[in-house]
Amino acid sequence: MTSIEEPVQKGLRPVRAEADDTVEVRFTVNGTPVVLDLPARVTLADALRDHLGLTGTHVGCEHGVCGMCTVLVDGEAARACLLFACQLDGAEVVTVEGLGRPDDLHPLQESFGRNHALQCGFCTPGFLLSAYDLLNNEPEVTDEELPAELSGVICRCTGYRNILTAVSETRAAYPEGIPEPGNCARRTLVGRSGGRSATVAEEHAEPSDEPARTVEIVLPEGEPTIAVQVDTALDVPFDEVWRVLADVHVLAGCLPGAELTEELGEQLYAGRAQVAVGPIKLSFHGIARVLEQDRETGTIRVLAEGQDTGGARTQADITLRASATAAGTDLRADAAVYLTGRIAQFGRALAGDISRRMFEQFAESVRQVATTGEAPQQSHAAPSAFRMVVATLVDRIKRIGRRRGGE
């Protein structure tokens, strides 16, 4: 069986504290340095899920029996429900989120999918990390030994045989050793209960006398949650479009649900933005910095970040490029968007559709302002993402209908 006792003992540090005493903990999760102020009674599983938003670590029995919460601590499998987070100061933790990226899965994840070993998915994170630990430490394990070696994770539904097959196939494909986790990089981690990563530590620091313009927007490393590219043909001359793009106040007014609230100097601005998905309404307060504004190339680049009171956080690197055409102006928007917290639960497809629709509405507002010369007349109320997605689907259906009609 895969061992859970050794890393627990190795990683323990003595902590003398009452259950509700707050203890500062510093460890690394999936390559990201993390600083947490936690009551001493908080387990590693709860710290990962509630304070860092890493909900891939599932909690089942909370007695160390079922194995659903298995993670890697200093490279060895460990039960996250049996460890107090304050014991792990200085440890390296890898969760299922660090194993592979959605667009570049770890071989174990690929094999699980290929062999239909996922079933409901609740036990999958525990099995993946237990299997990783097993193949990393005992690559010579035989098929006959697999049931006993993986018995530390309890799931015996109809997918169990397929789980064994998936692990066996991966072992056969990598007899010299399984590849390391492929999604460990420094990024922003924010959960529901106020945890923070080192990349956002400045946000929680004590108020400073330094002017706001010293604030830096640091985007996470690694792949963005969604990447958006929207091209829009505007029947307006380039000079009129650039007049809109060159005025940050007018530009912000063209963004659905956005409002510029303060100019902080040195191309740094404060503002708020709202979006609604059904009954969920998110109100972000944040800052944006204009990094580039060049009429010769028709380019404006902006870094932005915002957070709502529920812990949802969004950061974006947005580039707008306007170029003159015979019919007017082509406006291209490229955006790399990073989502954490509950907004990240929307899923890439939905978040991508919402973002694209918002940029389409933004381009239409730019066209109206460039044409009329008047400030955009739009409400700062939260735009309905649901209506945006429905409108997108209707547009797609219309396009399909037009194509078929032309056949």
Side-chain angles (χ1 to χ4, degrees):
M1 293 178 60
T2 54
S3 171
I4 63 171
E5 291 79 10
E6 182 180 350
V8 174
Q9 294 169 356
K10 183 175 63 176
L12 285 176
R13 70 161 178 169
V15 177
R16 297 180 64 85
E18 297 295 328
D20 291 327
D21 287 350
T22 299
V23 179
E24 183 181 276
V25 185
R26 294 173 177 269
F27 48 49
T28 301
V29 180
N30 299 333
T32 298
V34 171
V35 183
L36 295 173
D37 295 315
L38 298 171
R41 58 180 164 75
V42 173
T43 66
L44 175 60
D46 289 340
L48 293 172
R49 291 178 57 84
D50 295 339
H51 296 265
L52 298 176
L54 296 171
T55 54
T57 299
H58 293 167
V59 179
C61 67
E62 298 189 73
H63 288 78
V65 176
C66 71
M68 304 299 162
C69 64
T70 300
V71 298
L72 302 179
V73 176
D74 290 335
E76 304 286 344
R79 302 285 206 255
C81 74
L82 292 183
L83 296 171
F84 292 115
C86 64
Q87 295 172 289
L88 299 175
D89 204 48
E92 298 270 349
V93 179
V94 175
T95 71
V96 70
E97 288 92 344
L99 197 55
R101 299 198 309 269
D103 59 348
D104 187 15
L105 295 175
H106 190 274
L108 264 173
Q109 294 170 309
E110 290 182 337
S111 186
F112 268 57
R114 187 169 56 251
N115 287 283
H116 307 289
L118 300 173
Q119 290 295 315
C120 76
F122 191 77
C123 69
T124 303
F127 264 116
L128 284 171
L129 292 177
S130 291
Y132 175 87
D133 174 77
L134 173 64
L135 298 185
N136 187 49
N137 289 291
E138 300 180 45
E140 70 284 356
V141 65
T142 66
D143 286 350
E144 292 72 23
E145 294 170 331
L146 281 179
E149 294 290 350
L150 294 174
S151 62
V153 182
I154 298 177
C155 179
R156 302 294 182 267
C157 70
T158 55
Y160 184 61
R161 294 302 309 176
N162 296 343
I163 291 171
L164 297 178
T165 301
V167 177
S168 175
E169 277 194 7
T170 308
R171 175 192 54 79
Y174 297 93
E176 302 302 323
I178 193 169
E180 295 183 350
N183 193 30
C184 291
R186 192 183 178 98
R187 57 173 60 83
T188 301
L189 299 173
V190 178
R192 296 191 297 270
S193 303
R196 68 187 193 273
S197 65
T199 57
V200 295
E202 296 82 1
E203 190 175 287
H204 300 266
E206 293 297 323
S208 170
D209 293 333
E210 291 295 318
R213 60 179 175 271
T214 62
V215 173
E216 294 294 335
I217 300 174
V218 180
L219 299 182
E221 295 181 358
E223 297 293 323
T225 309
I226 51 176
V228 179
Q229 184 180 94
V230 177
D231 292 285
T232 307
L234 305 177
D235 55 349
V236 183
F238 170 84
D239 286 343
E240 298 302 317
V241 172
W242 183 254
R243 181 174 55 80
V244 177
L245 300 184
D247 189 326
V248 174
H249 293 268
V250 176
L251 190 67
C254 293
L255 289 169
E259 182 180 10
L260 197 63
T261 58
E262 189 176 359
E263 188 169 347
L264 303 175
E266 297 189 4
Q267 296 284 55
L268 184 67
Y269 303 87
R272 52 177 170 258
Q274 301 182 74
V275 66
V277 182
I280 302 175
K281 292 181 173 57
L282 302 171
S283 180
F284 294 93
H285 292 256
I287 55 175
R289 184 183 291 280
V290 178
L291 296 182
E292 181 182 359
Q293 199 167 23
D294 185 359
R295 188 185 185 288
E296 292 299 317
T297 60
T299 301
I300 177 169
R301 182 183 174 208
V302 178
L303 294 185
E305 68 178 16
Q307 186 165 348
D308 84 336
T309 55
R313 182 182 177 87
T314 179
Q315 294 175 281
D317 183 348
I318 304 169
T319 300
L320 301 172
R321 292 186 179 88
S323 57
T325 65
T329 305
D330 276 344
L331 181 61
R332 164 171 288 196
D334 289 280
V337 183
Y338 302 83
L339 304 175
T340 54
R342 57 177 176 163
I343 192 173
Q345 299 173 6
F346 291 168
R348 288 170 179 259
L350 177 58
D353 279 341
I354 293 172
S355 299
R356 276 184 285 275
R357 195 64 182 177
M358 291 181 73
F359 275 115
E360 289 171 0
Q361 288 191 5
F362 163 77
E364 174 58 23
S365 293
V366 170
R367 190 192 67 77
Q368 289 180 12
V369 175
T371 302
T372 64
E374 298 179 357
Q377 300 296 320
Q378 66 172 1
S379 169
H380 297 307
S384 169
F386 177 75
R387 287 197 293 273
M388 289 181 185
V389 173
V390 170
T392 301
L393 293 175
V394 170
D395 289 345
R396 290 178 181 175
I397 293 172
K398 288 180 178 177
R399 286 198 296 270
I400 293 173
R402 285 196 292 270
R403 284 200 298 268
R404 289 183 176 176
E407 291 175 350

